[in-house]
Amino acid sequence: MHQVGGAATSSSSRARRIARRTRDSCAAVLANTLCSLLLGVLLVAGVVLFVLWLGLRPHRPRFHIASFSVAGGLDPDSSPAGASLAFNVTDRNPNRHIGIYYDAVHASVHYYDALVASGPAFAAGWYQPNKTTTSITGLLDVLGPTTTDASWPSFSAAVRAGRVPLRLQLTTAIRFRVTNALHSGRQRMHVSCDLLVGVDGHLLPDSVGAACDRYF
Ligand SMILES: *[C@@H]1O[C@H](CO)[C@@H](O)[C@H](O)[C@H]1NC(C)=O
Ligand SMILES: *[C@@H]1O[C@H](CO)[C@@H](O)[C@H](O)[C@H]1NC(C)=O
């Protein structure tokens, strides 16, 4: 009796063991399947997001210098201070579906580190629709360099040589508009155009249409 009881006990414990093993392996299979499913879903979602991002990713606007002139030209013997300076920078929004909001634009012109002119270009912000080109134009009063500035001898020599390297910098902030309800955050943008001006105060031919750098 005892023996039989012992056999029954051991066979029922074997059955329990088998049941447990079956349950464990079922759980393992289920966990594996769920894991694979989850990984698959994540992968597909990742690919979809990547493709959407490639298609919708906003491209920053592109800038080129169209014209620049110091009225009355430059003179190696007297400071241009008091003259007026006009510029025209073309601004292309390359996005097929995304418009760009601009804040007011501030412009400054430097000869190396010396300030030549500074002031507002566009005092108010504006909206540039998708795939359009606009012009940022400005009229500034020339402030220097004056004949007593440290940069004067070098500026005067550059005028005499007929090649004055100037840097026009535009500072603003932009926001991308995807739809009426979906805008990007505001980001600051600096546009820097290196240009060469001749004695007549106008751009040298190789500077006309030159691309400007952008910093964010
Ligand atoms: C600025 O330059 C562009 C390209 O040359 C021209 O189409 C536009 O009329 C100019 N704007 C002004 C105000 O001169
Ligand atoms: C500008 O975007 C709108 C909306 O996505 C689109 O319908 C329109 O065709 C786009 N315009 C151009 C010139 O691509």
Side-chain angles (χ1 to χ4, degrees):
M1 265 319 272
H2 189 80
Q3 286 258 326
V4 170
T9 308
S10 97
S11 87
S12 81
S13 88
R14 193 180 315 129
R16 267 202 306 278
R17 237 186 357 259
I18 289 170
R20 192 171 54 233
R21 213 178 298 140
T22 310
R23 197 185 57 224
D24 285 355
S25 69
C26 263
V29 165
L30 199 66
N32 266 336
T33 311
L34 276 180
C35 260
S36 309
L37 212 65
L38 200 65
L39 280 180
V41 166
L42 280 180
L43 192 70
V44 168
V47 167
V48 166
L49 280 180
F50 182 65
V51 167
L52 274 181
W53 178 78
L54 278 187
L56 293 178
R57 165 180 61 130
H59 294 279
R60 284 147 176 184
R62 287 196 279 265
F63 301 87
H64 293 85
I65 181 89
S67 69
F68 182 98
S69 60
V70 178
L74 298 172
D75 182 342
D77 297 317
S78 73
S79 167
S84 70
L85 173 165
F87 66 84
N88 178 353
V89 173
T90 62
D91 170 3
R92 173 79 177 155
N93 174 4
N95 295 290
R96 205 174 307 163
H97 297 292
I98 297 174
I100 302 175
Y101 288 107
Y102 291 79
D103 281 2
V105 178
H106 184 270
S108 62
V109 178
H110 283 83
Y111 170 74
Y112 296 102
D113 287 338
L115 184 68
V116 173
S118 164
F122 276 21
W126 80 96
Y127 177 68
Q128 184 179 25
N130 40 343
K131 281 278 178 201
T132 56
T133 302
T134 62
S135 303
I136 300 177
T137 57
L139 196 60
L140 305 173
D141 292 326
V142 177
L143 307 169
T146 59
T147 51
T148 52
D149 286 349
S151 59
W152 178 256
S154 133
F155 182 83
S156 169
V159 173
R160 216 175 286 280
R163 286 171 77 83
V164 183
L166 297 178
R167 192 177 69 252
L168 169 65
Q169 184 152 337
L170 304 175
T171 304
T172 184
I174 60 172
R175 279 175 306 146
F176 293 106
R177 175 198 173 279
V178 181
T179 68
N180 268 333
L182 187 57
H183 295 186
S184 75
R186 187 180 255 103
Q187 54 180 307
R188 275 196 92 62
M189 179 174 69
H190 301 277
V191 179
S192 177
C193 312
D194 286 317
L195 43 99
L196 288 168
V197 173
V199 182
D200 62 0
H202 289 275
L203 285 181
L204 292 184
D206 44 347
S207 281
V208 177
C212 304
D213 292 325
R214 296 156 305 175
Y215 305 95
F216 292 85

